[in-house]
Amino acid sequence: MFPHSNPRTTRQATLLCCLALATIFTGCGSSDGVEFVLNTEGVPSFETQLAQQSEILASQAESNADINVDERLDEFSDSYFRKTDELAAALEALFGTPDDPARPPQTGLDIDLIRRAAGPTGGADVEPLLDEDGNVIAPGYHLGGLYREHCVHCHGMTGDGAGPTALFLNPYPRDYRQGTFKFTSTQSKEKPTDEDLRRTIENGLHGTLMPAFRVALTADEISALIEYVKYFAMRGEVELFLRAELFESGETLFFEDGTFNGELINTNVELVASLWSNVTVVQPVPRPGGKSWEELTAAEKQESLEIGERLFRNEGQCIKCHGPAGLGDGGQLNYDDWNTQKALVEDEAERAEMWLLPLQELKARNLQLGVFRGGRRPIDIYRRIRNGITGTPMPAANVGGSPIPDPLNPGQMIEPMEEEQIWHIVDYVLSLQYQRGFRTPSPEMNAPNGR
Amino acid sequence: MTADPQQLDASRWPHRFAVLLVAATVTLIFVGGLVTTTESGMAVPDWPTTFGYGMFSFPLEDWVGGGWELFIEHGHRLLGSIVGLITIAFLLSLIRCDRRRWMWGLGLLALAAVIFQGILGGTRVIENERTLAMVHGCFAPIFLSLCVCNAVFTSRRWHLSFANADKRVVKDQIDRKPNQASAPPVNPFAGAKSGAFLFAAAVLVFAAYAQIVLGAQLRHLPATASAATGLTFAIFHVVAAVVLVIFAIAISLAARRMFKAADLSAQQDKSLNTGVRQLAHWLNLLICGQVALGCATWVLNYGWPNWLVTEQTSIVVAQNFWQTVITTGHQTTGSLILAACVGVFWRSYAVSRSAEYARLIGETNQKAGLRTPRTSNQTVSGALAGGVS
């Protein structure tokens, strides 16, 4: 280095040169902008809402001369921005920011694990917070940056599933903010366990671009990411609940003196936390006869497959989506929970304004491919049939002993089956991959005598 | 730009170092690409030290046994240092063996560039700034291009072309030994066509580099970028790739047509033209390979396009071998294409100068009433350089 140069000045000059070059390559508009953004999925933009409000007020003003349209529009605008600011402030107070995460204690989330996943790629040290006398108010900590290193490009900074690569992918990356996860071992529609999330991260989702991280990450790192995924989900659900309180129920999150509406906020946080803590893991019943598939004789295997096929076509009603030969050609046009509302809006421009990603159809799985996103072990298939796939039209099997309404066909009922019979469907589904080209099942399989 | 024909007899060491520098830089770019692909950039948090150790004193067992990311990142640093040392050796060899002062300037520029690139990489680590990682990645092909220029300018073909081309020297020769001097044949690559070709080749160089920068944008998409931004960059990259492929293949085909060697009787001209044709051939191969690598990179990272398959059936393992190697190979091949484009430009430039001067010499001789026929071993440059072939 130059003998009389100030190292700090030299470093600053170097950084300046580098950033000048960076500007050339990236353009002047480049900015970090590392922050969580509010969830406005399915919500018309402010301009659209204002225009709608303006139309309504204009028509009211025709019959009522006392209505001052401009004044009322100003009130609407003020209210809109006040509520939006309140929501953002409350979420930041509860959950922090991407580089300074926090969590409400009621959620039971482990802040150390969250910090290991949060922060910039490569990690960063956060200095302790000191008061004027130099006393530590809040100790420093390390951010691990795992999420931004491995996940953010698909799942996005806010966990909205709309990262920069999201549009390349089919299916889209998961939007965590609804707290809905597809592949669970818990009762239908319930939250996943940590083990469910671990299985997804470790093994990836076969047939999607969700990679298996079992080689790239250690078990501890995966634990940190699991916690961060739950953090996104809880934050997202709290946001949805608070948004409803603000915009639909007309509640306020801050009192006029600037203090928190603690009771309202705590109620919603506790509600979300309870959804995550009150889950029941479904323990699979033993296979019929207590024998595994490998232990069955050839005749028993054949019998299991035949029963499975009848159930597949009758009580299970699997053919409605998966088709008679399991090709996924049952004819039902389906959408998952992330797309159902989009499908109701016909105008594409309107849809583009209200949602981050375009409409994506959901195809029933072609079972002859032998590709099962939630795992291909018999127990995985069993869970998909027994518990359904949350967030999709794939229902949980009716093992309750009495007919239940068919969610796909209003007015029709789904006949019950015994829980152990699910194993026959598992056997049949797993056998379909060895029947490539199988198109038309034999007519006798239509008889509903699966039991 | 002038050349000293006596360089033909000069030491070959500058060229050897220049070629070594190109090879080492390509390797360095691949390893640097691995750093990005495997997200190893921050595996070592300090710089220029590695966990407090000097660059070359970091214990071998810690380097090899410290995990894949550390192995890649420290390996990249070591290789970068080696490239720096080769650049110094190249500069020293120039000072010792090359009389062209402008060439010394280029050697110094290469040294300044490699130092700057090192500081850029180091600052990226110290500041943990991903944008700088992208700039570091984008500057590497510029350095490689400079190395290619150096390799071309120190090559025997370059000296040969300028020996052929140096009108002043040739005229002296004509004046001194009118009966022995004869005009070289007019290389087909002369006149207006050569200008158009050179312009197109120069545009190709910039287009190839622009595509690298676009690819780097896609590779280093900011975490906060929207899905629409990502898609826009991807579309630009793919459309630019199509344009570039057509453009590059057209240029290389034109080069193969314009630089025919068979019609030329002089060994030197054959050699010069063959040099361009060879590079054009390599450019074709690289372009084809790059298209295949680009498609493979897309499929391995984002799956099959929806219009091609109805269902994805693959399972992706994060940072698996093929994903890592092919993605990085795609990035490195982009730099190789740029290098080939730079080579095509400078070699064809050399031919154009040679051809243009040869044409002028022919005219001069005709005006002087000298005979113009020539034989394959009786070129001006041959006479000057003692029969170089």
Side-chain angles (χ1 to χ4, degrees):
Chain A
M1 201 52 71
F2 303 109
H4 301 297
S5 64
N6 179 342
R8 189 181 166 82
T9 314
T10 312
R11 193 178 153 197
Q12 283 173 349
T14 311
L15 184 60
L16 205 64
C17 288
C18 295
L19 288 175
L21 205 61
T23 308
I24 294 169
F25 285 111
T26 58
C28 301
S30 173
S31 147
D32 271 356
V34 177
E35 57 186 15
F36 290 136
V37 292
L38 288 178
N39 182 354
T40 56
E41 292 286 88
V43 180
S45 70
F46 169 70
E47 289 75 18
T48 305
Q49 289 188 44
L50 193 66
Q52 287 170 349
Q53 199 67 22
S54 179
E55 268 182 39
I56 294 168
L57 288 170
S59 66
Q60 288 175 353
E62 283 176 10
S63 55
N64 185 351
D66 292 341
I67 292 178
N68 183 332
V69 175
D70 289 341
E71 200 175 286
R72 297 281 286 274
L73 283 178
D74 284 346
E75 279 174 18
F76 173 79
S77 301
D78 290 346
S79 165
Y80 178 89
F81 288 115
R82 180 184 56 76
K83 287 175 179 176
T84 305
D85 290 346
E86 273 189 28
L87 184 57
L91 285 170
E92 186 167 334
L94 290 169
F95 291 94
T97 64
D99 285 341
D100 184 15
R103 53 89 183 88
Q106 303 97 308
T107 57
L109 291 168
D110 183 334
I111 190 65
D112 292 332
L113 287 174
I114 290 171
R115 284 173 176 164
R116 193 166 180 195
T121 307
D125 288 318
V126 177
E127 300 294 328
L129 192 62
L130 306 176
D131 64 12
E132 289 174 356
D133 301 328
N135 300 317
V136 175
I137 300 171
Y141 55 88
H142 181 73
L143 293 166
L146 288 170
Y147 181 79
R148 261 180 257 178
E149 183 174 344
H150 298 285
C151 320
V152 76
H153 282 91
C154 294
H155 291 286
M157 188 63 78
T158 314
D160 54 14
T165 60
L167 281 170
F168 310 161
L169 309 178
N170 185 8
Y172 293 140
R174 180 61 49 244
D175 175 358
Y176 303 129
R177 298 172 302 174
Q178 287 90 332
T180 305
F181 294 86
K182 287 165 86 170
F183 306 113
T184 62
S185 59
T186 49
Q187 288 285 6
S188 177
K189 311 289 182 192
E190 283 187 352
K191 304 294 178 195
T193 63
D194 284 9
E195 272 314 300
D196 293 332
L197 295 175
R198 180 178 296 279
R199 204 177 310 114
T200 298
I201 298 175
E202 278 184 354
N203 300 338
L205 296 179
H206 198 172
T208 78
L209 271 296
M210 169 68 192
F213 284 97
R214 60 176 176 269
V215 178
L217 296 172
T218 64
D220 288 347
E221 288 171 331
I222 290 176
S223 296
L225 287 172
I226 291 168
E227 204 70 357
Y228 204 50
V229 167
K230 287 163 62 182
Y231 162 84
F232 275 132
M234 291 193 195
R235 183 187 177 282
E237 286 173 289
V238 168
E239 180 181 357
L240 290 175
F241 288 163
L242 292 183
R243 173 176 282 279
E245 299 281 11
L246 274 168
F247 287 88
E248 290 166 25
S249 307
E251 297 283 354
T252 181
L253 301 182
F254 290 87
F255 296 122
E256 284 181 2
D257 61 0
T259 54
F260 251 147
N261 186 348
E263 192 180 339
L264 180 74
I265 291 172
N266 279 337
T267 305
N268 283 285
V269 171
E270 280 162 11
L271 176 59
V272 170
S274 70
L275 293 174
W276 281 85
S277 55
N278 298 328
V279 294
T280 309
V281 175
V282 176
Q283 297 302 334
V285 297
R287 286 180 58 96
K291 287 180 177 177
S292 70
W293 172 259
E294 288 75 20
E295 290 167 343
L296 297 179
T297 63
E300 287 170 332
K301 283 180 180 174
Q302 186 58 34
E303 186 190 355
S304 178
L305 292 179
E306 285 175 6
I307 296 172
E309 184 172 357
R310 289 194 184 98
L311 289 164
F312 184 85
R313 296 173 58 76
N314 298 293
E315 287 88 339
Q317 302 201 31
C318 312
I319 60 169
K320 282 184 177 168
C321 293
H322 292 285
L327 289 166
D329 56 354
Q332 293 268 6
L333 179 62
N334 288 322
Y335 300 99
D336 59 24
D337 282 6
W338 296 269
N339 285 277
T340 306
Q341 291 299 316
K342 287 182 209 175
L344 300 176
V345 178
E346 288 183 2
D347 182 51
E348 208 160 311
E350 201 179 328
R351 234 168 22 210
E353 182 195 299
M354 291 166 65
W355 280 278
L356 291 168
L357 302 171
L359 180 66
Q360 199 171 56
E361 288 175 10
L362 181 71
K363 289 180 186 142
R365 184 67 47 244
N366 176 353
L367 302 170
Q368 288 194 18
L369 291 176
V371 175
F372 304 100
R373 291 181 182 167
R376 53 172 299 108
R377 299 173 305 169
I379 183 65
D380 296 324
I381 311 294
Y382 175 90
R383 284 184 174 137
R384 300 297 84 77
I385 299 169
R386 169 65 180 78
N387 306 336
I389 300 179
T390 311
T392 76
M394 170 77 186
N398 178 13
V399 289
S402 57
I404 58 169
D406 182 351
L408 292 176
N409 299 288
Q412 293 188 29
M413 306 298 281
I414 298 178
E415 293 300 318
M417 69 173 96
E418 288 171 20
E419 200 162 351
E420 66 173 17
Q421 286 185 312
I422 291 173
W423 287 112
H424 294 304
I425 306 181
V426 171
D427 292 342
Y428 177 67
V429 165
L430 283 171
S431 75
L432 281 171
Q433 60 192 297
Y434 304 109
Q435 301 180 48
R436 294 275 175 101
F438 164 59
R439 292 290 180 273
T440 46
S442 53
E444 63 267 23
M445 287 301 172
N446 288 321
N449 58 350
R451 271 171 280 175
Chain B
M1 193 174 288
T2 59
D4 181 353
Q6 290 185 18
Q7 282 294 140
L8 284 165
D9 299 325
S11 167
R12 307 287 301 139
W13 278 106
H15 184 61
R16 285 174 190 144
F17 277 122
V19 171
L20 180 64
L21 192 52
V22 169
T25 304
V26 170
T27 314
L28 179 61
I29 286 176
F30 182 79
V31 177
L34 280 181
V35 170
T36 299
T37 310
T38 58
E39 297 272 4
S40 308
M42 292 303 294
V44 182
D46 52 340
W47 182 87
T49 49
T50 294
F51 293 109
Y53 289 93
M55 190 74 74
F56 294 102
S57 59
F58 186 62
L60 182 66
E61 60 271 22
D62 289 345
W63 177 35
V64 176
W68 176 240
E69 292 185 0
L70 170 63
F71 180 75
I72 295 288
E73 169 60 14
H74 186 64
H76 182 51
R77 292 176 177 204
L78 286 179
L79 201 50
S81 307
I82 290 168
V83 165
L85 292 175
I86 297 172
T87 312
I88 292 171
F90 169 66
L91 177 61
L92 292 177
S93 71
L94 281 178
I95 293 170
R96 186 168 171 77
C97 311
D98 200 314
R99 303 197 321 178
R100 297 170 296 174
R101 289 295 152 73
W102 60 268
M103 201 58 233
W104 295 16
L106 276 182
L108 267 175
L109 188 64
L111 184 59
V114 80
I115 291 170
F116 176 70
Q117 176 72 338
I119 292 172
L120 204 55
T123 313
R124 174 265 181 274
V125 170
I126 293 168
E127 301 297 329
N128 191 8
E129 179 56 69
R130 286 174 72 84
T131 309
L132 286 183
M134 199 254 287
V135 177
H136 181 63
C138 287
F139 191 71
I142 295 179
F143 177 70
L144 177 64
S145 301
L146 186 57
C147 295
V148 170
C149 291
N150 287 336
V152 172
F153 298 157
T154 52
S155 69
R156 204 165 179 75
R157 280 198 175 97
W158 183 265
H159 298 315
L160 181 62
S161 65
F162 276 90
N164 244 357
D166 196 323
K167 186 181 175 185
R168 178 175 47 79
V169 177
V170 171
K171 193 163 184 311
D172 285 349
Q173 185 70 9
I174 292 168
D175 292 342
R176 276 191 285 120
K177 296 178 182 176
N179 293 329
Q180 287 181 21
S182 58
V186 178
N187 192 314
F189 187 71
K193 270 187 182 173
S194 68
F197 181 88
L198 284 172
F199 178 75
V203 171
L204 182 64
V205 168
F206 286 103
Y209 184 68
Q211 177 70 336
I212 287 174
V213 173
L214 260 181
Q217 299 279 349
L218 196 54
R219 204 161 143 77
H220 294 268
L221 276 170
T224 49
S226 68
T229 307
L231 186 66
T232 306
F233 275 119
I235 290 171
F236 265 110
H237 192 55
V238 171
V239 170
V242 172
V243 172
L244 198 60
V245 165
I246 295 168
F247 191 21
I249 289 179
I251 290 257
S252 58
L253 290 178
R256 292 179 72 77
R257 196 180 66 248
M258 295 171 82
F259 295 93
K260 282 179 183 162
D263 302 341
L264 301 176
S265 50
Q267 194 60 42
Q268 295 90 327
D269 293 330
K270 275 188 180 177
S271 170
L272 290 175
N273 279 10
T274 305
V276 185
R277 284 166 60 89
Q278 278 175 349
L279 268 183
H281 181 62
W282 276 107
L283 181 59
N284 257 336
L285 286 178
L286 284 170
I287 286 277
C288 294
Q290 182 71 333
V291 169
L293 283 172
C295 294
T297 299
W298 185 279
V299 170
L300 288 170
N301 284 282
Y302 309 127
W304 295 96
N306 292 335
W307 49 267
L308 201 62
V309 298
T310 51
E311 297 222 37
Q312 307 286 339
T313 54
S314 57
I315 186 155
V316 182
V317 177
Q319 296 177 4
N320 67 70
F321 176 80
W322 287 112
Q323 191 184 47
T324 304
V325 168
I326 287 179
T327 305
T328 312
H330 183 58
Q331 170 252 5
T332 309
T333 309
S335 293
L336 283 174
I337 287 173
L338 176 68
C341 292
V342 170
V344 166
F345 174 80
W346 283 117
R347 281 191 173 176
S348 52
Y349 171 80
V351 177
S352 82
R353 305 307 293 165
S354 171
E356 183 62 13
Y357 280 120
R359 191 177 62 77
L360 291 173
I361 291 161
E363 288 174 4
T364 310
N365 282 352
Q366 277 183 341
K367 282 177 189 168
L370 296 174
R371 62 189 173 85
T372 51
R374 56 173 294 191
T375 58
S376 61
N377 60 355
Q378 199 186 12
T379 62
V380 175
S381 58
L384 289 169
V388 176
S389 60

